Amino acid sequence: MLELNPNDNQGIRYLLAGYLLALGLTAALKQLLGQFEDDGTAMWLYTRALLAFREESPEADSLAGAAWSENSYVPEILSGRRPLVASRDGYVTLGGEDEAGEYVRDNGAAWRATHGAIEWLVRVTSAMAPNR
């Protein structure tokens, strides 16, 4: 689909990134992330942060902060401190609880499967003030 629609206005990259993340296909995920490097959505940024955490990259904390700046609800939902709120109509509010809920629904298993990732994310973002 990305070859047929390289601008990806359908959001296929988010689904593909979730599968690659869950399957641990790091090289393919890095290639996809590089293909859409300018994507500043919470979905993309949290995926970048998790990948950096897995690779023990020194950039991991700053990537988590950038992701949190786009959507501060994700750590709370991943940690179980806030209930998952899914989109009711297939659309999400950027920076909203429904965007965070969709991200966690699609990628929460990958976070839970990565030892210490959720705790790290909560620790890194807990001192930040929300941009709501």
Side-chain angles (χ1 to χ4, degrees):
M1 289 300 295
L2 291 175
E3 288 179 18
L4 294 172
N5 182 7
N7 292 329
D8 192 30
N9 61 322
Q10 297 169 309
I12 299 299
R13 66 183 172 271
Y14 303 120
L15 297 172
L16 180 56
Y19 287 120
L20 296 173
L21 191 61
L23 294 171
L25 298 173
T26 303
L29 180 57
K30 284 181 176 182
Q31 181 180 357
L32 181 65
L33 290 169
Q35 186 177 345
F36 296 95
E37 215 169 307
D38 61 339
D39 189 324
T41 62
M43 292 182 176
W44 217 238
L45 295 170
Y46 276 102
T47 298
R48 284 184 182 281
L50 179 56
L51 181 60
F53 175 81
R54 285 181 175 179
E55 294 185 327
E56 300 179 7
S57 169
E59 296 179 327
D61 287 4
S62 64
L63 289 170
W68 190 88
S69 292
E70 289 301 314
N71 191 310
S72 60
Y73 295 107
V74 172
E76 295 174 330
I77 295 172
L78 277 170
S79 67
R81 294 180 185 165
R82 180 180 290 271
L84 188 139
V85 175
S87 170
R88 295 179 187 208
D89 57 7
Y91 296 97
V92 296
T93 305
L94 295 178
E97 288 180 284
D98 55 347
E99 179 191 34
E102 293 294 314
Y103 179 78
V104 171
R105 188 197 71 201
D106 293 344
N107 299 290
W111 280 86
R112 289 186 292 277
T114 305
H115 181 71
I118 295 173
E119 295 80 5
W120 160 77
L121 182 65
V122 168
R123 180 180 49 76
V124 168
T125 60
S126 65
M128 298 178 178
N131 295 336
R132 294 188 181 137

